[in-house]
Amino acid sequence: MKTFQGRVVTPGTASAKALVSHGGFNTLASFQKSLQFGDKTAKCGDQNNSDLYGKPMVGTALCLPQTIGSTTGGLVLYCACAMGRQPACMLFANPIDSLACAGAVLADVWLDGVCMPVVDSLGEEFLSYVKDGMTVSIGENGVVTVE
């Protein structure tokens, strides 16, 4: 077991199995099929992300360095939350970008009953340590525990 201190972007607690990407997370490419065609498990549709492609993202602790891609990223993340197809939490090794941050914050503020805690700035050691399937828990103060 190891703990990491990050910065809280959207508050809340969560505990879920890790789903890890070592490359940038393209929000639009990853969620597009789920949002357009009704895949309730939100299997990652980004063929350029070999770590995540084809894996269900709903209810996971999505661990990633940062997001990449188009300016629609924040809206796509908000829509995934609105449709109940979001990860249990998102954990960023690097500082979160403004678009992903906007989507997470808008979902937190505008959607009743939706909780997707987001913590960033966890560091490269976090992304090196965490592996798919490990249990990841977030405390209210941005402490992330990986078991």
Side-chain angles (χ1 to χ4, degrees), residues 113-126:
V114 173
C115 182
M116 185 185 69
V118 177
V119 176
D120 77 344
S121 301
L122 288 163
E124 289 303 315
E125 184 184 358
F126 165 74

Side-chain angles (χ1 to χ4, degrees), residues 85-106:
R85 297 185 184 151
Q86 76 276 13
C89 57
M90 291 182 77
L91 304 168
F92 291 81
N94 300 330
I96 194 171
D97 66 279
S98 59
L99 296 172
C101 181
V105 169
L106 289 176

Side-chain angles (χ1 to χ4, degrees), residues 23-96:
F25 181 75
N26 185 320
T27 311
L28 177 60
S30 296
F31 280 105
Q32 185 173 8
K33 286 182 181 179
S34 172
L35 301 182
Q36 281 187 305
F37 303 115
D39 172 16
K40 293 182 181 179
T41 65
K43 287 184 193 84
C44 179
D46 184 2
Q47 296 178 4
N48 294 318
N49 190 325
S50 60
D51 293 331
L52 301 181
Y53 181 67
K55 295 179 182 175
M57 298 180 290
V58 168
T60 65
L62 189 56
C63 306
L64 55 143
Q66 73 272 333
T67 59
I68 58 173
S70 74
T71 57
T72 63
L75 178 61
V76 168
L77 191 54
Y78 168 80
C79 288
C81 290
M83 296 173 79
R85 297 185 184 151
Q86 76 276 13
C89 57
M90 291 182 77
L91 304 168
F92 291 81
N94 300 330
I96 194 171

